[in-house]
Structure formats: C-alpha cells, structure tokens
Amino acid sequence: MNRRVLLIDDDPRIRQVLGLALRGEGYTVDVAETAAAGLATLEDNPPDVVLLDVMLPDEDGFSVCRRIRSRSHVPVIMVTARTDSHDVVAGLESGADDYVSKPLMAKELSARIRALLRRAGPRQDETETFTVGELTIRLREAEVLRDGIPLSLTHTEFKLLAELAREQGGVCSRETLLQRVWGYDYFGDSRIVDVHVSRLRAKVERDPSHPRHVVTVRGHGYRLVP
C-alpha cells in the first residue's frame, strides 16, 4: 500500500532532498512551504504522516500542530533546528507524536516514519477490552471511553495506554514503553515518554494533577491501576 507523506517546510533545499529520499522509499510526497498551504493539502489529500517544520513564514509549527490535532489524528513529526528541551516539549504538548532535529538524516527520518506507521493501527490479533475504573479500553477498535463517552486520543496516546493496560497493573519502565510504543528503531530519548504520559493524563484523568489511573512508580516507570 502506497503511503502518503505531507512535508511542510519553507526551505526549498530540504523539500527537494527529503522529497527525493522519501519517494525513493516508495512514499507519495506532498510538499507545502507555508502553514496555510499545508493545512489546505491536509484537507484535500489526507496524508498518513505529516512532517512539520517548527519555523514557518506565516505561522509557527506548534500552532499548526494544534490546528492539525483539532481536525485529525494523523501522526505528526515535528522538525526543529534546535534540540532545546523547551522546543521539544512544546512540540509534543502541541500534539506531535515525535520530533527530529536538523540537520536531518534521511535514514533516521525513514525509520521514524516506519515506526509511526506500524503503530498507527491495532494489532491484527487484538480483541481484548480492558475496564479500568470508569475507563473502557477497546484495543481492536483503538477506542477509549470514560463513563461511556469516547475520548479523543492520538495514536501515540492510545498505544501508550494500551501497553499499560496489557501489563494488568504491572509496572512498565520508560525504556520498555519507548521500545514498545515508539519502536526498537527509535532514535530519541525517554523525555518523550514523560511528556506523552502528561498529555494522556490530561485526557483520561478527572484530576490530572492527582492521577488515579496512570500512576508513577518512582524510580521504575508507570502502571495503570483501577
């Protein structure tokens, strides 16, 4: 199946180099040099993955990512020229699933995209439904309900919650979650786990500042408790 990538970046050299590299990997690549053009393309030709530059001429990437999230669950990889923690966290909190830093390496980027696409859908053999307090987690349908009302989770947030649910109350370390959710070929660091846990709590917990279900086990990781 031919996968579609939307690359939103105002640098013509990056659009050309990455476009050629990704097309060589078999992807269909749409390019946009502004936020407005990227959002229009998103509506006209929905992609499987979005590569989104932080610095755009008409709108910053964080704001664009929030707008994408308001209308789509498509996986988003933020592209930043800096590795500053603030930029990384801001990108993830705006709804991005992953981030890469410039200068971009085509092989690394391709591995990130493959990892995102692998986890974008449910496993073929999954039929389980977990009940955790007021939460109902339906793995096959990739759906989470709270008190019977569907919650709007990103692919990554759902996969993170699903992995915790599979442990049946056991503890998952950050390293384990990084491997299972982001993939064995992930090149990033464990900060991404903590940021996504924080985002997940904001959606599934009644009081995210005092979580009852997604609980931190100090020095070990996280677990899901009823």
Side-chain angles (χ1 to χ4, degrees):
M1 180 179 179
N2 194 20
R3 298 287 194 160
R4 183 178 295 275
V5 176
L6 172 58
L7 171 60
I8 308 176
D9 197 303
D10 65 335
D11 187 327
R13 184 175 58 87
I14 288 179
R15 293 200 305 272
Q16 181 180 26
V17 171
L18 288 186
L20 286 172
L22 292 172
R23 290 185 184 101
E25 293 275 345
Y27 297 105
T28 297
V29 182
D30 295 320
V31 296
E33 59 183 284
T34 65
L39 291 169
T41 302
L42 183 77
E43 292 292 332
D44 295 337
N45 295 296
D48 296 290
V49 177
V50 175
L51 303 178
L52 175 61
D53 190 20
V54 169
M55 302 297 293
L56 295 169
D58 55 339
E59 189 174 350
D60 71 79
F62 307 130
S63 172
V64 176
C65 190
R66 286 191 290 271
R67 293 176 65 184
I68 291 174
R69 264 307 150 253
S70 71
R71 66 185 74 176
S72 172
H73 294 303
V74 61
V76 176
I77 301 177
M78 296 290 290
V79 180
T80 176
R82 297 181 293 179
T83 57
D84 182 84
S85 294
H86 178 269
D87 277 359
V88 172
V89 172
L92 296 173
E93 289 185 339
S94 68
D97 296 275
D98 199 357
Y99 69 92
V100 291
S101 301
K102 296 180 181 179
L104 298 173
M105 302 295 291
K107 284 189 175 181
E108 175 186 347
L109 185 58
S110 181
R112 300 284 187 102
I113 293 173
R114 286 196 304 270
L116 275 175
L117 291 175
R118 277 200 305 271
R119 71 177 192 262
R123 295 178 184 173
Q124 292 300 310
D125 59 347
E126 286 188 330
T127 58
E128 298 101 323
T129 296
F130 294 96
T131 301
V132 182
E134 69 274 17
L135 300 176
T136 301
I137 305 165
R138 297 174 177 170
L139 299 185
R140 184 62 182 164
E141 294 82 1
E143 183 179 52
V144 179
L145 311 176
R146 187 174 69 191
D147 293 329
I149 300 173
L151 300 178
S152 180
L153 304 186
T154 66
H155 290 298
T156 301
E157 291 162 355
F158 175 79
K159 290 293 185 183
L160 181 58
L161 184 62
E163 288 301 335
L164 292 172
R166 290 187 189 100
E167 289 298 315
Q168 302 282 346
V171 178
C172 272
S173 68
R174 289 172 176 82
E175 291 73 21
T176 297
L177 291 170
L178 198 63
Q179 291 171 350
R180 292 182 182 175
V181 177
W182 280 265
Y184 286 93
D185 51 3
Y186 181 72
F187 289 84
D189 59 62
S190 61
R191 287 180 299 177
I192 198 170
V193 177
D194 298 328
V195 173
H196 277 83
V197 166
S198 178
R199 284 172 46 192
L200 179 62
R201 283 171 171 163
K203 295 181 179 181
V204 304
E205 300 282 0
R206 296 195 186 280
D207 182 1
S209 61
H210 297 89
R212 296 175 51 238
H213 299 309
V214 184
V215 176
T216 301
V217 181
R218 190 174 298 277
H220 295 280
Y222 299 99
R223 69 187 182 102
L224 188 65
V225 299

